[in-house]
Amino acid sequence: MRTGFLCTLALLAGTAHGAAVSTILGTGTGGYSDTAVNNPYGMAMGPDGGLYFCDLGNQRVRRLDLKTKRVTLIAGNGKAGYSGDGGPATEASLRAPHELVFDRRGDLYFAERDNHVIRKVDMKTGVISTVAGTGVAGYGGDGGPGAKAQLRQPHCVTRDKDGTLLICDLGNHRIRRLHPDTGIIETWTGTGEAAATPENAPVGGTSVNGPRTIVPAPNGDFYVALREGNRILRIDAKTRTFHTIAGTGEAGYSGDGGPALGATFGGSSQGPVARLAGPKGLALVPGILYVADTDSHAIRKIDLKSGVITTVLGTGKMGDGPETAPLECKLSRPHALLFAGGKLYVADSEAHRIRVVALR
């Protein structure tokens, strides 16, 4: 198995001779220290070169200096709650921070699922504020100020190349667009209906079933992971239409070596839980889309040219390591991915580790 994986990475990296997986933060046990994390989720590389991440179990956002390995606190006092706006982010109470992104100015935004808000940290002053959501779950406020609008379990926030922010308003089965300059929010896609997305359907007025994560492509396209829909969609920038690139809509862990359209995500989940077991994290590099198949305990790769899907990290069984050989390293419900500097960072959430696959 390892030989096949090395060949895959050689195709991606061109001059790569192999790959190895290692832990850059975490001990395997949830905690809060310079070496420990507790259920890491979303990650982003900051303008300063630091790795910023949501430390969900600790109700904090933290930064890892990749050179010194020093960890510093960015937001959160460790107490689950919703408070602190207008004051130091490090003294604020957060509740389930999920994904994060930097804007053009270098300020940090993150989605707080259980507070139903998007919050911002001014990275010059360290002050935290709410830019979308009221703290009460619901749906409303389109066309008005984001801070007066209602969201329901937002999971992801990302940046479009025009500077606006796209929010996966998962509980409302919508993707909302926030204009940071004006503060206005609107629905970009989704109807609120938990229904399948028709092929070639327009972005406006089309249903999206549980949009969990969205990532932009350099050409303006977007890729969307549908948790409840158990599929991955591409939004064409020119035609503004939806196209399915992976997933049958059923739960499972199958399809490796064949067309991603025939693959299943979500492992062995059954019953009501299977509805929530779809793909949860994405990372895009030229020609390749990496997928966190959380409940299959695996990271999978879709070759966007051939359409073929393969597993590149994990065994499909829940566990913690051993490391070095990626296809022998068990994972425990990984939720988020980040590709930066030729390395794939993996938030191996319930193993309480941030792992990295280094190409060489």
Side-chain angles (χ1 to χ4, degrees), residues 304-326:
L304 296 175
K305 184 175 181 180
S306 69
V308 171
I309 190 170
T310 53
T311 293
V312 295
L313 177 62
T315 67
K317 297 181 179 180
M318 191 174 192
D320 182 8
E323 293 184 332
T324 303

Side-chain angles (χ1 to χ4, degrees), residues 173-242:
H173 301 288
R174 290 176 166 92
I175 298 176
R176 315 278 286 273
R177 184 185 290 275
L178 178 69
H179 299 261
D181 293 343
T182 64
I184 300 300
I185 195 170
E186 61 194 6
T187 290
W188 184 53
T189 190
T191 63
E193 184 182 9
T197 304
E199 192 68 14
N200 294 308
V203 168
T206 295
S207 57
V208 284
N209 190 4
R212 169 61 176 80
T213 300
I214 181 169
V215 294
N219 68 349
D221 288 358
F222 284 95
Y223 292 87
V224 183
L226 299 182
R227 190 184 71 178
E228 278 83 344
N230 225 315
R231 287 185 168 95
I232 298 172
L233 309 178
R234 179 179 67 87
I235 298 175
D236 188 283
K238 294 181 180 179
T239 63
R240 293 176 60 82
T241 53
F242 284 104

Side-chain angles (χ1 to χ4, degrees), residues 60-347:
R60 291 177 166 105
V61 175
R62 304 170 74 190
R63 176 189 183 274
L64 172 66
D65 188 304
L66 294 174
K67 294 181 180 179
T68 67
K69 306 305 179 187
R70 182 184 176 211
V71 181
T72 53
L73 177 63
I74 302 300
N77 58 20
K79 299 177 182 177
Y82 180 42
S83 67
D85 279 354
T90 54
E91 297 177 9
S93 292
L94 317 180
R95 187 177 279 117
H98 262 53
E99 304 282 341
L100 67 175
V101 70
F102 285 89
D103 70 7
R104 289 172 171 174
R105 295 177 52 197
D107 291 330
L108 180 65
Y109 294 78
F110 57 92
E112 280 186 66
R113 183 194 66 191
D114 293 352
N115 279 332
H116 315 288
V117 298
I118 306 298
R119 296 175 91 175
K120 169 188 171 182
V121 179
D122 185 309
M123 295 302 289
K124 292 182 179 179
T125 65
V127 171
I128 193 170
S129 60
T130 296
V131 296
T134 63
V136 177
Y139 172 68
D142 280 348
K148 294 185 178 180
Q150 285 184 295
L151 310 176
R152 189 185 303 276
Q153 292 192 341
H155 278 63
C156 176
V157 57
T158 195
R159 191 181 81 192
D160 199 349
K161 59 183 180 180
D162 64 2
T164 59
L165 300 178
L166 295 176
I167 302 164
C168 286
D169 192 2
L170 187 147
N172 283 319
H173 301 288
R174 290 176 166 92
I175 298 176
R176 315 278 286 273
R177 184 185 290 275
L178 178 69
H179 299 261
D181 293 343
T182 64
I184 300 300
I185 195 170
E186 61 194 6
T187 290
W188 184 53
T189 190
T191 63
E193 184 182 9
T197 304
E199 192 68 14
N200 294 308
V203 168
T206 295
S207 57
V208 284
N209 190 4
R212 169 61 176 80
T213 300
I214 181 169
V215 294
N219 68 349
D221 288 358
F222 284 95
Y223 292 87
V224 183
L226 299 182
R227 190 184 71 178
E228 278 83 344
N230 225 315
R231 287 185 168 95
I232 298 172
L233 309 178
R234 179 179 67 87
I235 298 175
D236 188 283
K238 294 181 180 179
T239 63
R240 293 176 60 82
T241 53
F242 284 104
H243 305 273
T244 302
I245 67 161
T248 65
E250 301 298 322
Y253 177 43
S254 65
D256 276 356
L261 286 171
T264 56
F265 303 95
S268 59
S269 302
Q270 297 180 347
V273 176
R275 182 177 62 86
L276 309 177
K280 295 181 173 67
L282 300 175
L284 182 68
V285 299
I288 300 293
L289 184 68
Y290 290 102
V291 183
D293 190 355
T294 302
D295 290 283
S296 295
H297 315 292
I299 307 304
R300 303 172 80 179
K301 184 195 83 168
I302 300 171
D303 184 310
L304 296 175
K305 184 175 181 180
S306 69
V308 171
I309 190 170
T310 53
T311 293
V312 295
L313 177 62
T315 67
K317 297 181 179 180
M318 191 174 192
D320 182 8
E323 293 184 332
T324 303
L327 291 184
E328 298 173 9
C329 179
K330 293 180 181 178
L331 308 177
S332 186
R333 303 196 73 239
H335 274 81
L337 302 173
L338 173 69
F339 194 94
K343 298 178 180 180
L344 182 66
Y345 295 86
V346 179

